[in-house]
Amino acid sequence: MKTKTLLILTLLFNLTWTMAQPAYDFTKLKREKLGRGVVALRESSNTVFISWRYLSSDPIDIAFHIYRNGERITKEPIKTGTFYQDNYPENKSVTYLVEPTIEGAAKGSYTLPPNAPIGYLNIPLNKPKDGKTPAGDSFRYRPNDASIGDIDGDGEYEIILKWDPTNAHDNAHDGYTGSVLLDCYKLDGTFLWRIDLGRNIRAGAHYTQFMVYDLDGDNSAEIVMKTSDGTIDGKGNIICDANADYRAPNGRILSGSEYLTVFSGKTGEALHTIDYIPQRGKLTDWGDNRANRSDRFLACIAYLDGIHPSVVMCRGYYTRTVLAAFDWDGKQLQSRWVFDTNNPEWKDYTGQGNHNLRVGDVDGDGCDEIIYGSCAINNDGRGLYNTRMGHGDAIHLTQFDPNNPRLQVFDCHENKRDGTTFRDAETGVVIWQVKSNTDVGRAMAADIDPTNPGVEMWTWDSGGIRNTKGELINSNMRGMSTNMAVWWDGDLLRELLDRNRVSKYDWIEKRCKPLVTFTGASHNNGTKANPCLQGDIIGDWREEVLLRSEDNESLRLYISTIPTEYRFHTFLEDPVYRISIATQNVGYNQPTQPGFYFGPDLKEGIFRGYDFNLK
């Protein structure tokens, strides 16, 4: 691609941030200070692939030189991408430095160890020991959901990993579980700390939602999650009563203390603990007497004041629903507001939540709202709207239509009535709907077809793939995953991620075809078949896939080594996208999505009324 065209595309991408959410003031948002994100990995036995971030603070004409072990290996500075392929067959440690040609711009380096695997970074783990329940049943540990946060202020991410015991249970099932553990690792596998949530926090997809984010602006991320008596922090300190055991004979936890704790990202130390809001109280007030309804938890990060990130902890979505927002000043949690459907004003919002949620400024006031399934909660803790379509399992929030600047929501419903809906994110007005008398369990939204404008959408029972107008563009669902998505191969289309495989939609043959399989790696969470994490974690604008190895001894961070002709700012600097990474571990995992349209229609030169000649 010619440099002139590349720079226009770069300008176009800059506009996505300034126009997609016009009220966002990016100069005021307290965000992470990202580094260059350099990574090097074996592309083959003879070549090394180096990749790095293009930051919004970089001048549009910035270029880069590459140094190998202190010696410059680029004859001319790299201007048309943020990757480099080095012919280096020697199997020994090598350090690459990426240096901008503009003074003062961030540089970065990465050391590739000898015997590095091809195509991914191997992150060895400190695997927990096996255990036994009070019933005498043995269990093991497997890596499960993960998140990212810069815990030491160097501009690069560490991984916060949740270990789930093999006897983890859904809320609907009885049975003891092992303790949930959270570890912190550097990308080279350096183990930093472990938090043991203890016997009084049950293991399962709906119990432990952990938020990793820099909440107080000190350039070190915190971890916020529900705890109880006996939780052990990263320094070995025990929260409250170490001897308390609230487990019932059926393995459920139906009573006992419930806390909310902020942990240090640097050390795992518990910094502040308060009572969880709301307390479970009387179980039947949530809809049953066995904690299936009362122990359904969600969580998110949101810029509720348009400047500072707040943490929002949520309980309930089938019946009573409570969202409690908190601010962290580095010393204590301060309650911002509590939304509770027990409040008569919000009674109609009862039972409208999903197994997940989305966050973004949907009404243009510069502050984030929370898309809580079939309803939306305003940044001030008041209800914004309610579609009354009830609970669902999957939800997507982004700008679907390149010619419409508004954010929209794609949602599915399990009430055997409302099926699939596509609605305006601010008002809740339904744009189109495919009704169904079945429980529509999964939904996917991704721009996979360049012959059709905007993002495509499909569900288990949508009749096929539909466009933003609701028109059916392909009734053949063969190979069409509804689990995850990833920007992988370097074009502007998105690929589908399911289990340990990335697939590409063939818009001519109108079917999905395998693109790459990550052999030796495995997925999580049963039929949800998601990775530990998916997103733009390191390197250029493409997304990485973090999977566990089949033997559960390590994580594998898979990175695309396919050359790309595009150079875009890292998605991490968009708040909607960054928060979608932070909330990916919540409930049923959902793929990342930015707060602006991104796809092949950018190449057509039309974006929100701006006309660019890119051909």
Side-chain angles (χ1 to χ4, degrees), residues 433-463:
Q433 180 176 14
V434 179
K435 293 203 170 190
S436 174
N437 59 5
T438 66
D439 173 354
V440 182
R442 302 297 288 167
M444 178 52 63
D447 199 341
I448 58 174
D449 186 347
T451 67
N452 184 72
V455 174
E456 287 75 46
M457 293 160 272
W458 61 98
T459 72
W460 286 353
D461 197 33
S462 61

PDB file of all heavy atoms in Angstrom, residues 433-463:
ATOM      1  N   GLN A 433     -36.276  -7.248  14.264  1.00  0.00           N
ATOM      2  CA  GLN A 433     -36.433  -8.361  15.185  1.00  0.00           C
ATOM      3  C   GLN A 433     -36.798  -9.622  14.417  1.00  0.00           C
ATOM      4  O   GLN A 433     -37.524  -9.572  13.424  1.00  0.00           O
ATOM      5  CB  GLN A 433     -37.528  -8.053  16.210  1.00  0.00           C
ATOM      6  CG  GLN A 433     -37.784  -9.158  17.223  1.00  0.00           C
ATOM      7  CD  GLN A 433     -38.816  -8.755  18.272  1.00  0.00           C
ATOM      8  OE1 GLN A 433     -39.529  -7.760  18.116  1.00  0.00           O
ATOM      9  NE2 GLN A 433     -38.896  -9.515  19.356  1.00  0.00           N
ATOM     10  N   VAL A 434     -36.241 -10.755  14.875  1.00  0.00           N
ATOM     11  CA  VAL A 434     -36.638 -12.066  14.370  1.00  0.00           C
ATOM     12  C   VAL A 434     -37.196 -12.831  15.557  1.00  0.00           C
ATOM     13  O   VAL A 434     -36.450 -13.283  16.433  1.00  0.00           O
ATOM     14  CB  VAL A 434     -35.463 -12.833  13.740  1.00  0.00           C
ATOM     15  CG1 VAL A 434     -35.922 -14.200  13.248  1.00  0.00           C
ATOM     16  CG2 VAL A 434     -34.843 -12.042  12.600  1.00  0.00           C
ATOM     17  N   LYS A 435     -38.503 -12.957  15.626  1.00  0.00           N
ATOM     18  CA  LYS A 435     -39.129 -13.631  16.762  1.00  0.00           C
ATOM     19  C   LYS A 435     -38.903 -15.141  16.681  1.00  0.00           C
ATOM     20  O   LYS A 435     -38.684 -15.700  15.602  1.00  0.00           O
ATOM     21  CB  LYS A 435     -40.615 -13.303  16.832  1.00  0.00           C
ATOM     22  CG  LYS A 435     -40.887 -11.846  17.165  1.00  0.00           C
ATOM     23  CD  LYS A 435     -42.259 -11.664  17.769  1.00  0.00           C
ATOM     24  CE  LYS A 435     -42.426 -10.246  18.316  1.00  0.00           C
ATOM     25  NZ  LYS A 435     -43.650 -10.093  19.122  1.00  0.00           N
ATOM     26  N   SER A 436     -38.961 -15.777  17.856  1.00  0.00           N
ATOM     27  CA  SER A 436     -38.716 -17.210  17.901  1.00  0.00           C
ATOM     28  C   SER A 436     -39.444 -17.814  19.097  1.00  0.00           C
ATOM     29  O   SER A 436     -39.559 -17.178  20.152  1.00  0.00           O
ATOM     30  CB  SER A 436     -37.218 -17.499  18.012  1.00  0.00           C
ATOM     31  OG  SER A 436     -36.965 -18.871  18.191  1.00  0.00           O
ATOM     32  N   ASN A 437     -39.908 -19.046  18.943  1.00  0.00           N
ATOM     33  CA  ASN A 437     -40.535 -19.746  20.061  1.00  0.00           C
ATOM     34  C   ASN A 437     -39.549 -20.693  20.740  1.00  0.00           C
ATOM     35  O   ASN A 437     -39.937 -21.607  21.454  1.00  0.00           O
ATOM     36  CB  ASN A 437     -41.772 -20.510  19.598  1.00  0.00           C
ATOM     37  CG  ASN A 437     -41.448 -21.543  18.517  1.00  0.00           C
ATOM     38  OD1 ASN A 437     -40.287 -21.749  18.174  1.00  0.00           O
ATOM     39  ND2 ASN A 437     -42.482 -22.173  17.989  1.00  0.00           N
ATOM     40  N   THR A 438     -38.246 -20.471  20.506  1.00  0.00           N
ATOM     41  CA  THR A 438     -37.191 -21.255  21.155  1.00  0.00           C
ATOM     42  C   THR A 438     -36.323 -20.343  22.019  1.00  0.00           C
ATOM     43  O   THR A 438     -36.375 -19.118  21.915  1.00  0.00           O
ATOM     44  CB  THR A 438     -36.300 -21.954  20.124  1.00  0.00           C
ATOM     45  OG1 THR A 438     -35.583 -20.957  19.371  1.00  0.00           O
ATOM     46  CG2 THR A 438     -37.120 -22.802  19.175  1.00  0.00           C
ATOM     47  N   ASP A 439     -35.534 -20.958  22.888  1.00  0.00           N
ATOM     48  CA  ASP A 439     -34.544 -20.240  23.679  1.00  0.00           C
ATOM     49  C   ASP A 439     -33.343 -19.982  22.777  1.00  0.00           C
ATOM     50  O   ASP A 439     -32.584 -20.895  22.444  1.00  0.00           O
ATOM     51  CB  ASP A 439     -34.149 -21.098  24.887  1.00  0.00           C
ATOM     52  CG  ASP A 439     -32.998 -20.518  25.689  1.00  0.00           C
ATOM     53  OD1 ASP A 439     -32.405 -19.507  25.263  1.00  0.00           O
ATOM     54  OD2 ASP A 439     -32.665 -21.093  26.741  1.00  0.00           O
ATOM     55  N   VAL A 440     -33.166 -18.734  22.351  1.00  0.00           N
ATOM     56  CA  VAL A 440     -32.057 -18.390  21.458  1.00  0.00           C
ATOM     57  C   VAL A 440     -30.809 -18.172  22.326  1.00  0.00           C
ATOM     58  O   VAL A 440     -30.661 -17.132  22.959  1.00  0.00           O
ATOM     59  CB  VAL A 440     -32.383 -17.138  20.620  1.00  0.00           C
ATOM     60  CG1 VAL A 440     -31.223 -16.832  19.675  1.00  0.00           C
ATOM     61  CG2 VAL A 440     -33.668 -17.353  19.831  1.00  0.00           C
ATOM     62  N   GLY A 441     -29.937 -19.160  22.338  1.00  0.00           N
ATOM     63  CA  GLY A 441     -28.872 -19.198  23.329  1.00  0.00           C
ATOM     64  C   GLY A 441     -27.628 -18.409  23.012  1.00  0.00           C
ATOM     65  O   GLY A 441     -26.923 -17.989  23.933  1.00  0.00           O
ATOM     66  N   ARG A 442     -27.287 -18.207  21.745  1.00  0.00           N
ATOM     67  CA  ARG A 442     -26.055 -17.497  21.423  1.00  0.00           C
ATOM     68  C   ARG A 442     -26.317 -16.546  20.265  1.00  0.00           C
ATOM     69  O   ARG A 442     -27.227 -16.737  19.458  1.00  0.00           O
ATOM     70  CB  ARG A 442     -24.927 -18.460  21.036  1.00  0.00           C
ATOM     71  CG  ARG A 442     -24.577 -19.497  22.085  1.00  0.00           C
ATOM     72  CD  ARG A 442     -24.048 -18.864  23.361  1.00  0.00           C
ATOM     73  NE  ARG A 442     -22.707 -18.330  23.198  1.00  0.00           N
ATOM     74  CZ  ARG A 442     -22.133 -17.512  24.084  1.00  0.00           C
ATOM     75  NH1 ARG A 442     -22.800 -17.118  25.147  1.00  0.00           N
ATOM     76  NH2 ARG A 442     -20.912 -17.095  23.909  1.00  0.00           N
ATOM     77  N   ALA A 443     -25.463 -15.495  20.186  1.00  0.00           N
ATOM     78  CA  ALA A 443     -25.580 -14.505  19.125  1.00  0.00           C
ATOM     79  C   ALA A 443     -24.194 -13.981  18.790  1.00  0.00           C
ATOM     80  O   ALA A 443     -23.364 -13.807  19.684  1.00  0.00           O
ATOM     81  CB  ALA A 443     -26.491 -13.354  19.562  1.00  0.00           C
ATOM     82  N   MET A 444     -23.940 -13.725  17.520  1.00  0.00           N
ATOM     83  CA  MET A 444     -22.636 -13.216  17.097  1.00  0.00           C
ATOM     84  C   MET A 444     -22.815 -12.024  16.175  1.00  0.00           C
ATOM     85  O   MET A 444     -23.758 -11.971  15.366  1.00  0.00           O
ATOM     86  CB  MET A 444     -21.845 -14.316  16.396  1.00  0.00           C
ATOM     87  CG  MET A 444     -20.484 -13.888  15.863  1.00  0.00           C
ATOM     88  SD  MET A 444     -19.415 -13.072  17.071  1.00  0.00           S
ATOM     89  CE  MET A 444     -19.197 -14.371  18.259  1.00  0.00           C
ATOM     90  N   ALA A 445     -21.897 -11.063  16.302  1.00  0.00           N
ATOM     91  CA  ALA A 445     -21.877  -9.891  15.433  1.00  0.00           C
ATOM     92  C   ALA A 445     -20.440  -9.639  15.014  1.00  0.00           C
ATOM     93  O   ALA A 445     -19.561  -9.466  15.862  1.00  0.00           O
ATOM     94  CB  ALA A 445     -22.449  -8.676  16.155  1.00  0.00           C
ATOM     95  N   ALA A 446     -20.180  -9.637  13.708  1.00  0.00           N
ATOM     96  CA  ALA A 446     -18.836  -9.404  13.190  1.00  0.00           C
ATOM     97  C   ALA A 446     -18.947  -9.017  11.721  1.00  0.00           C
ATOM     98  O   ALA A 446     -19.807  -9.541  10.998  1.00  0.00           O
ATOM     99  CB  ALA A 446     -17.962 -10.643  13.351  1.00  0.00           C
ATOM    100  N   ASP A 447     -18.083  -8.114  11.292  1.00  0.00           N
ATOM    101  CA  ASP A 447     -18.081  -7.725   9.877  1.00  0.00           C
ATOM    102  C   ASP A 447     -17.250  -8.756   9.121  1.00  0.00           C
ATOM    103  O   ASP A 447     -16.013  -8.712   9.140  1.00  0.00           O
ATOM    104  CB  ASP A 447     -17.514  -6.318   9.701  1.00  0.00           C
ATOM    105  CG  ASP A 447     -17.914  -5.715   8.362  1.00  0.00           C
ATOM    106  OD1 ASP A 447     -18.290  -6.478   7.458  1.00  0.00           O
ATOM    107  OD2 ASP A 447     -17.841  -4.487   8.212  1.00  0.00           O
ATOM    108  N   ILE A 448     -17.929  -9.677   8.457  1.00  0.00           N
ATOM    109  CA  ILE A 448     -17.257 -10.795   7.797  1.00  0.00           C
ATOM    110  C   ILE A 448     -17.433 -10.780   6.281  1.00  0.00           C
ATOM    111  O   ILE A 448     -16.795 -11.567   5.581  1.00  0.00           O
ATOM    112  CB  ILE A 448     -17.767 -12.139   8.348  1.00  0.00           C
ATOM    113  CG1 ILE A 448     -19.274 -12.262   8.154  1.00  0.00           C
ATOM    114  CG2 ILE A 448     -17.395 -12.285   9.828  1.00  0.00           C
ATOM    115  CD1 ILE A 448     -19.839 -13.622   8.538  1.00  0.00           C
ATOM    116  N   ASP A 449     -18.277  -9.889   5.771  1.00  0.00           N
ATOM    117  CA  ASP A 449     -18.627  -9.901   4.349  1.00  0.00           C
ATOM    118  C   ASP A 449     -18.407  -8.510   3.753  1.00  0.00           C
ATOM    119  O   ASP A 449     -19.169  -7.580   4.043  1.00  0.00           O
ATOM    120  CB  ASP A 449     -20.091 -10.328   4.183  1.00  0.00           C
ATOM    121  CG  ASP A 449     -20.493 -10.501   2.731  1.00  0.00           C
ATOM    122  OD1 ASP A 449     -19.732 -10.071   1.835  1.00  0.00           O
ATOM    123  OD2 ASP A 449     -21.579 -11.055   2.481  1.00  0.00           O
ATOM    124  N   PRO A 450     -17.382  -8.320   2.899  1.00  0.00           N
ATOM    125  CA  PRO A 450     -17.101  -6.992   2.350  1.00  0.00           C
ATOM    126  C   PRO A 450     -18.097  -6.554   1.282  1.00  0.00           C
ATOM    127  O   PRO A 450     -18.110  -5.386   0.901  1.00  0.00           O
ATOM    128  CB  PRO A 450     -15.699  -7.163   1.745  1.00  0.00           C
ATOM    129  CG  PRO A 450     -15.652  -8.612   1.347  1.00  0.00           C
ATOM    130  CD  PRO A 450     -16.428  -9.334   2.416  1.00  0.00           C
ATOM    131  N   THR A 451     -18.937  -7.474   0.802  1.00  0.00           N
ATOM    132  CA  THR A 451     -19.932  -7.111  -0.212  1.00  0.00           C
ATOM    133  C   THR A 451     -21.208  -6.572   0.406  1.00  0.00           C
ATOM    134  O   THR A 451     -22.101  -6.148  -0.315  1.00  0.00           O
ATOM    135  CB  THR A 451     -20.275  -8.339  -1.082  1.00  0.00           C
ATOM    136  OG1 THR A 451     -20.962  -9.317  -0.285  1.00  0.00           O
ATOM    137  CG2 THR A 451     -19.014  -8.975  -1.657  1.00  0.00           C
ATOM    138  N   ASN A 452     -21.260  -6.582   1.722  1.00  0.00           N
ATOM    139  CA  ASN A 452     -22.460  -6.129   2.422  1.00  0.00           C
ATOM    140  C   ASN A 452     -22.058  -5.055   3.435  1.00  0.00           C
ATOM    141  O   ASN A 452     -21.177  -5.282   4.266  1.00  0.00           O
ATOM    142  CB  ASN A 452     -23.107  -7.310   3.146  1.00  0.00           C
ATOM    143  CG  ASN A 452     -24.404  -6.918   3.819  1.00  0.00           C
ATOM    144  OD1 ASN A 452     -25.399  -6.680   3.164  1.00  0.00           O
ATOM    145  ND2 ASN A 452     -24.368  -6.838   5.140  1.00  0.00           N
ATOM    146  N   PRO A 453     -22.654  -3.847   3.382  1.00  0.00           N
ATOM    147  CA  PRO A 453     -22.222  -2.761   4.274  1.00  0.00           C
ATOM    148  C   PRO A 453     -22.425  -3.089   5.741  1.00  0.00           C
ATOM    149  O   PRO A 453     -23.429  -3.685   6.138  1.00  0.00           O
ATOM    150  CB  PRO A 453     -23.124  -1.590   3.855  1.00  0.00           C
ATOM    151  CG  PRO A 453     -23.588  -1.919   2.475  1.00  0.00           C
ATOM    152  CD  PRO A 453     -23.702  -3.412   2.442  1.00  0.00           C
ATOM    153  N   GLY A 454     -21.462  -2.711   6.577  1.00  0.00           N
ATOM    154  CA  GLY A 454     -21.605  -2.803   8.012  1.00  0.00           C
ATOM    155  C   GLY A 454     -21.360  -4.187   8.579  1.00  0.00           C
ATOM    156  O   GLY A 454     -20.888  -5.108   7.910  1.00  0.00           O
ATOM    157  N   VAL A 455     -21.722  -4.322   9.861  1.00  0.00           N
ATOM    158  CA  VAL A 455     -21.491  -5.549  10.620  1.00  0.00           C
ATOM    159  C   VAL A 455     -22.623  -6.542  10.369  1.00  0.00           C
ATOM    160  O   VAL A 455     -23.801  -6.167  10.385  1.00  0.00           O
ATOM    161  CB  VAL A 455     -21.375  -5.228  12.124  1.00  0.00           C
ATOM    162  CG1 VAL A 455     -21.289  -6.504  12.955  1.00  0.00           C
ATOM    163  CG2 VAL A 455     -20.165  -4.335  12.388  1.00  0.00           C
ATOM    164  N   GLU A 456     -22.262  -7.805  10.163  1.00  0.00           N
ATOM    165  CA  GLU A 456     -23.249  -8.853   9.996  1.00  0.00           C
ATOM    166  C   GLU A 456     -23.595  -9.474  11.357  1.00  0.00           C
ATOM    167  O   GLU A 456     -22.796  -9.434  12.296  1.00  0.00           O
ATOM    168  CB  GLU A 456     -22.740  -9.956   9.060  1.00  0.00           C
ATOM    169  CG  GLU A 456     -22.707  -9.549   7.603  1.00  0.00           C
ATOM    170  CD  GLU A 456     -21.564  -8.605   7.263  1.00  0.00           C
ATOM    171  OE1 GLU A 456     -20.420  -8.863   7.700  1.00  0.00           O
ATOM    172  OE2 GLU A 456     -21.815  -7.603   6.572  1.00  0.00           O
ATOM    173  N   MET A 457     -24.789 -10.069  11.440  1.00  0.00           N
ATOM    174  CA  MET A 457     -25.288 -10.635  12.697  1.00  0.00           C
ATOM    175  C   MET A 457     -25.989 -11.958  12.446  1.00  0.00           C
ATOM    176  O   MET A 457     -26.641 -12.130  11.419  1.00  0.00           O
ATOM    177  CB  MET A 457     -26.271  -9.658  13.362  1.00  0.00           C
ATOM    178  CG  MET A 457     -25.638  -8.369  13.857  1.00  0.00           C
ATOM    179  SD  MET A 457     -26.858  -7.032  14.079  1.00  0.00           S
ATOM    180  CE  MET A 457     -26.861  -6.305  12.428  1.00  0.00           C
ATOM    181  N   TRP A 458     -25.856 -12.887  13.408  1.00  0.00           N
ATOM    182  CA  TRP A 458     -26.578 -14.152  13.318  1.00  0.00           C
ATOM    183  C   TRP A 458     -26.706 -14.784  14.700  1.00  0.00           C
ATOM    184  O   TRP A 458     -25.939 -14.494  15.609  1.00  0.00           O
ATOM    185  CB  TRP A 458     -25.890 -15.118  12.346  1.00  0.00           C
ATOM    186  CG  TRP A 458     -24.489 -15.509  12.690  1.00  0.00           C
ATOM    187  CD1 TRP A 458     -24.068 -16.643  13.328  1.00  0.00           C
ATOM    188  CD2 TRP A 458     -23.283 -14.771  12.399  1.00  0.00           C
ATOM    189  NE1 TRP A 458     -22.702 -16.666  13.460  1.00  0.00           N
ATOM    190  CE2 TRP A 458     -22.193 -15.525  12.900  1.00  0.00           C
ATOM    191  CE3 TRP A 458     -23.026 -13.546  11.774  1.00  0.00           C
ATOM    192  CZ2 TRP A 458     -20.872 -15.098  12.794  1.00  0.00           C
ATOM    193  CZ3 TRP A 458     -21.703 -13.117  11.668  1.00  0.00           C
ATOM    194  CH2 TRP A 458     -20.650 -13.886  12.169  1.00  0.00           C
ATOM    195  N   THR A 459     -27.713 -15.636  14.833  1.00  0.00           N
ATOM    196  CA  THR A 459     -27.937 -16.378  16.075  1.00  0.00           C
ATOM    197  C   THR A 459     -28.265 -17.816  15.714  1.00  0.00           C
ATOM    198  O   THR A 459     -28.320 -18.185  14.534  1.00  0.00           O
ATOM    199  CB  THR A 459     -29.107 -15.797  16.895  1.00  0.00           C
ATOM    200  OG1 THR A 459     -30.344 -16.108  16.239  1.00  0.00           O
ATOM    201  CG2 THR A 459     -28.979 -14.300  17.076  1.00  0.00           C
ATOM    202  N   TRP A 460     -28.514 -18.621  16.749  1.00  0.00           N
ATOM    203  CA  TRP A 460     -28.932 -19.998  16.525  1.00  0.00           C
ATOM    204  C   TRP A 460     -30.228 -20.075  15.724  1.00  0.00           C
ATOM    205  O   TRP A 460     -30.465 -21.052  15.030  1.00  0.00           O
ATOM    206  CB  TRP A 460     -29.160 -20.689  17.873  1.00  0.00           C
ATOM    207  CG  TRP A 460     -27.919 -21.039  18.600  1.00  0.00           C
ATOM    208  CD1 TRP A 460     -26.628 -20.932  18.144  1.00  0.00           C
ATOM    209  CD2 TRP A 460     -27.830 -21.590  19.914  1.00  0.00           C
ATOM    210  NE1 TRP A 460     -25.743 -21.361  19.095  1.00  0.00           N
ATOM    211  CE2 TRP A 460     -26.453 -21.779  20.199  1.00  0.00           C
ATOM    212  CE3 TRP A 460     -28.767 -21.932  20.873  1.00  0.00           C
ATOM    213  CZ2 TRP A 460     -26.004 -22.297  21.402  1.00  0.00           C
ATOM    214  CZ3 TRP A 460     -28.323 -22.447  22.076  1.00  0.00           C
ATOM    215  CH2 TRP A 460     -26.957 -22.642  22.340  1.00  0.00           C
ATOM    216  N   ASP A 461     -31.068 -19.059  15.836  1.00  0.00           N
ATOM    217  CA  ASP A 461     -32.411 -19.154  15.262  1.00  0.00           C
ATOM    218  C   ASP A 461     -32.797 -17.869  14.526  1.00  0.00           C
ATOM    219  O   ASP A 461     -33.935 -17.422  14.594  1.00  0.00           O
ATOM    220  CB  ASP A 461     -33.431 -19.450  16.370  1.00  0.00           C
ATOM    221  CG  ASP A 461     -34.754 -19.976  15.819  1.00  0.00           C
ATOM    222  OD1 ASP A 461     -34.721 -20.674  14.804  1.00  0.00           O
ATOM    223  OD2 ASP A 461     -35.806 -19.670  16.403  1.00  0.00           O
ATOM    224  N   SER A 462     -31.823 -17.276  13.821  1.00  0.00           N
ATOM    225  CA  SER A 462     -32.094 -16.036  13.089  1.00  0.00           C
ATOM    226  C   SER A 462     -32.432 -16.295  11.629  1.00  0.00           C
ATOM    227  O   SER A 462     -32.689 -15.348  10.872  1.00  0.00           O
ATOM    228  CB  SER A 462     -30.880 -15.106  13.162  1.00  0.00           C
ATOM    229  OG  SER A 462     -29.734 -15.724  12.577  1.00  0.00           O
ATOM    230  N   GLY A 463     -32.409 -17.564  11.213  1.00  0.00           N
ATOM    231  CA  GLY A 463     -32.683 -17.884   9.822  1.00  0.00           C
ATOM    232  C   GLY A 463     -31.472 -17.759   8.929  1.00  0.00           C
ATOM    233  O   GLY A 463     -31.547 -18.024   7.730  1.00  0.00           O
TER     234      GLY A 463
END
